[in-house]
Amino acid sequence: MTDPGVPANTPMPAARSARRSLTLVGAVLLITGCAVGPDYERPDLSLPADWEDPDMLPAEQREDWSSWWERYEDPALEALVERATAENLEIQTQAARVRQARAQLGLAEAEQLPRLDLQAEATRQEQSEVADTVGGGEPFTQYGIAGVLDYELDLWGRLDRGEEAARARLLESAYAADAVRLSVISDVVTTYFELRAAERQLQIAQRTAESRERNLGIQRSRYEAGATTELTYRQAQAELESVRAEVPGLRHQVERLENALGVLVGQNPRELMADESLPGTPLDEIRLPAERPDLLPSELLERRPDVRAAEALMIAANADIGGAKAQWFPSLNLSAMVGTQALDAGDLFSPAAGNWSAGASLLTPLLDFGRIRANVETAEAVRDQAELQYRTTVRTAFREVRDALTLLETANERLQARQRQVAALQRTLVVAERRYEGGYTSFIEVLDAQRALLDAELAVSTAVRDRFAATATLYRALGGGWSAPPSAASDA
């Protein structure tokens, strides 16, 4: 029956209370979905193509670009790279950074969820005798067990921005680890080729010294027989000692490179070189990858982990701005407690001992003398630095690829020229020896031809090393390897 003093369309107190509750819940949900601060937008860059969203590369794609050293088809090199990726201290340090960033992300995600604690207490106390309280003047013990729930409503997206920043920093640490891993692998490959080239040069010098020693024996016999002059004999002797003087320096270079390779691999150099599972592959037997890109497609360049790391750091800095700005707005914390409390431990779980409480607290800044503004300005400055660093990294990446392509092209041209030079000097030495034996010229022409040939053979080894190093540099500049160009049949 309707109250005659109340209009028919007036809601009853229970309905009014329910409507207020729904309105409050809706308002809280609406506010909770708001996140202050700028949303991330990739800077406008002049690139050949769009760049992918910053995210982890799929496992199969990572495997594709991370195994580029296998294109040389050298088992010894593959074994060294495998050991370096497992034992190198820099790689292990970066792996620890990734674990740290992953743990920080887990903490940021947990901050958005309620916290439930179990509280148990026993208090011995004595109240004032003049106070109108239970147990006044007599000591007593009070026991309590309660479950305490705390929850911060993320009204302005502070916690959400914190999770966004932590996730971006995890990506940054992962890409930075990939960059270090790629750098270590590139250093291993380059050092390995330098070592093989130094070993080749040492072999050339030792072989030349043996040849000069045999020639010196011939000149000594001819000099003792009176068939040649002492000048010719002494010139041959001086040439032999000149070649012998080159051997210690080349041997030292080999040992130095063995030490450097041992540090990269994480092993003692002597043990590393004595390992029978690492056979020495001659430099001229190592396969050089024939395919290489002729252009700079962004789909290859964007695979550089240092570029990805720089962008992830910029995303994190951008999210930190929102977290700093959220400090300007009120924070709402909800709390609840359900438990029991009694003067006797045996009464803790009796129905009469139950108690509970629920509440909410609102905290808003009033006067902080510019603290929050300073934090916001700091976050914005860090974001600007991250963006500038990102732009610098992108430009550096494109420059390194262009330089690597040029280096590879010039290395090929230089190697071909050196090889032609060796062929010409080999013929020159044959002609000079014939002319000397025929008495048409002095022995000095033979010596000049021998010196020039030795220098040219050493230069060929250096040119071969530079060509291999140039391919490794290009792989590194591209963030890894590249796929061979498709055939005409597959295009069709």
Side-chain angles (χ1 to χ4, degrees):
M1 183 174 181
T2 305
D3 189 348
V6 180
N9 60 350
T10 301
M12 298 304 291
R16 187 182 302 115
S17 177
R19 182 175 300 175
R20 288 176 179 173
S21 299
L22 291 175
T23 303
L24 178 60
V25 172
V28 169
L29 292 176
L30 179 62
I31 294 175
T32 305
C34 300
V36 299
D39 293 329
Y40 171 73
E41 293 183 4
R42 177 175 288 165
D44 186 15
L45 300 174
S46 298
L47 298 175
D50 294 336
W51 291 57
E52 296 178 1
D53 294 334
D55 200 357
M56 292 288 192
L57 293 175
E60 62 274 7
Q61 190 176 4
R62 292 164 62 88
E63 182 66 23
D64 175 60
W65 66 259
S66 63
S67 301
W68 54 270
W69 61 89
E70 295 180 358
R71 295 174 179 266
Y72 297 103
E73 298 182 359
D74 186 352
L77 177 59
E78 295 175 12
L80 288 171
V81 171
E82 183 178 357
R83 295 186 184 185
T85 53
E87 302 294 338
N88 185 269
L89 297 181
E90 293 185 30
I91 294 179
Q92 295 178 5
T93 302
Q94 291 299 320
R97 285 192 63 235
V98 173
R99 294 196 301 270
Q100 177 187 0
R102 184 176 291 110
Q104 291 173 343
L105 174 60
L107 177 61
E109 292 175 339
E111 290 290 339
Q112 301 189 68
L113 302 175
R115 175 171 179 170
L116 179 62
D117 296 322
L118 178 63
Q119 176 181 331
E121 61 179 3
T123 306
R124 182 70 175 174
Q125 59 183 325
E126 181 179 347
Q127 301 290 347
S128 172
E129 294 183 2
V130 299
D132 187 14
T133 59
V134 176
E138 293 293 335
F140 65 94
T141 303
Q142 185 171 342
Y143 302 93
I145 297 178
V148 182
L149 179 69
D150 289 322
Y151 179 51
E152 179 183 353
L153 289 177
D154 194 17
L155 300 179
W156 316 108
R158 182 182 68 84
L159 300 178
D160 186 61
R161 292 298 191 186
E163 180 187 353
E164 181 183 351
R167 190 175 302 277
R169 288 190 172 90
L170 172 58
L171 290 175
E172 185 273 334
S173 63
Y175 289 130
D178 282 343
V180 171
R181 180 176 181 272
L182 178 60
S183 177
V184 170
I185 292 175
S186 179
D187 290 342
V188 169
V189 173
T190 303
T191 305
Y192 176 78
F193 289 142
E194 290 180 353
L195 175 60
R196 290 294 177 242
E199 291 174 343
R200 175 70 177 276
Q201 291 178 340
L202 178 60
Q203 293 171 358
I204 292 174
Q206 291 174 338
R207 186 181 68 243
T208 303
E210 294 174 356
S211 175
R212 299 292 187 273
E213 190 172 357
R214 290 193 298 270
N215 181 68
L216 178 62
I218 295 174
Q219 297 302 329
R220 181 187 299 111
S221 299
R222 296 183 64 182
Y223 170 64
E224 292 174 352
T228 188
T229 64
E230 182 181 1
L231 176 62
T232 301
Y233 168 66
R234 296 303 177 187
Q235 287 175 335
Q237 186 179 25
E239 183 65 18
L240 170 61
E241 299 304 327
S242 175
V243 176
R244 284 176 174 174
E246 297 290 333
V247 173
L250 294 173
R251 186 182 297 114
H252 171 70
Q253 185 177 2
V254 170
E255 293 177 355
R256 180 181 62 82
L257 292 170
E258 288 177 351
N259 294 334
L261 195 59
V263 172
L264 290 171
V265 176
Q267 280 190 266
N268 182 284
R270 292 186 179 274
E271 296 178 356
L272 180 63
M273 293 298 107
D275 191 347
E276 296 180 357
S277 63
L278 295 175
T281 305
L283 191 65
D284 53 357
E285 295 181 9
I286 301 176
R287 177 183 180 274
L288 182 71
E291 67 277 0
R292 70 175 181 88
D294 296 326
L295 300 175
L296 299 176
S298 61
E299 61 270 16
L300 295 180
L301 188 57
E302 70 185 359
R303 294 159 73 174
R304 281 180 60 120
D306 57 340
V307 174
R308 292 298 190 93
E311 185 173 14
L313 194 60
M314 183 170 53
I315 295 173
N318 186 80
D320 287 337
I321 296 177
K325 287 185 175 181
Q327 299 292 334
W328 266 321
F329 300 95
S331 60
L332 178 60
N333 289 272
L334 305 180
S335 62
M337 186 275 293
V338 177
T340 63
Q341 191 174 29
L343 297 178
D344 192 329
D347 297 333
L348 276 176
F349 299 101
S350 63
N355 64 346
W356 64 272
S357 67
S361 63
L362 186 68
L363 181 64
T364 184
L366 293 180
L367 184 63
D368 68 347
F369 299 98
R371 291 182 177 87
I372 298 178
R373 181 177 297 278
N375 287 335
V376 172
E377 292 176 352
T378 299
E380 291 175 343
V382 172
R383 191 272 313 273
D384 293 341
Q385 295 176 44
E387 180 177 345
L388 292 173
Q389 182 61 39
Y390 172 71
R391 293 179 179 273
T392 301
T393 304
V394 171
R395 293 179 181 178
T396 301
F398 275 95
R399 177 183 59 79
E400 287 180 353
V401 173
R402 293 189 183 97
D403 292 346
L405 287 170
T406 303
L407 178 62
L408 181 59
E409 182 178 356
T410 55
N412 286 328
E413 294 177 355
R414 184 164 56 252
L415 175 59
Q416 294 172 4
R418 290 297 187 185
Q419 290 172 338
R420 292 192 296 268
Q421 181 187 22
V422 168
L425 288 174
Q426 288 174 342
R427 180 59 183 170
T428 300
L429 178 58
V430 172
V431 174
E433 290 175 344
R434 289 178 179 177
R435 287 172 56 84
Y436 168 70
E437 292 173 357
Y440 296 104
T441 184
S442 64
F443 188 64
I444 193 67
E445 286 192 5
V446 176
L447 294 178
D448 289 341
Q450 290 176 343
R451 296 191 196 102
L453 179 59
L454 174 60
D455 293 340
E457 288 177 339
L458 296 176
V460 166
S461 298
T462 302
V464 173
R465 178 204 66 189
D466 292 344
R467 186 178 64 167
F468 278 108
T471 59
T473 301
L474 183 56
Y475 276 122
R476 179 177 180 175
L478 291 169
W482 58 83
S483 300
S487 62
S490 60
D491 287 341

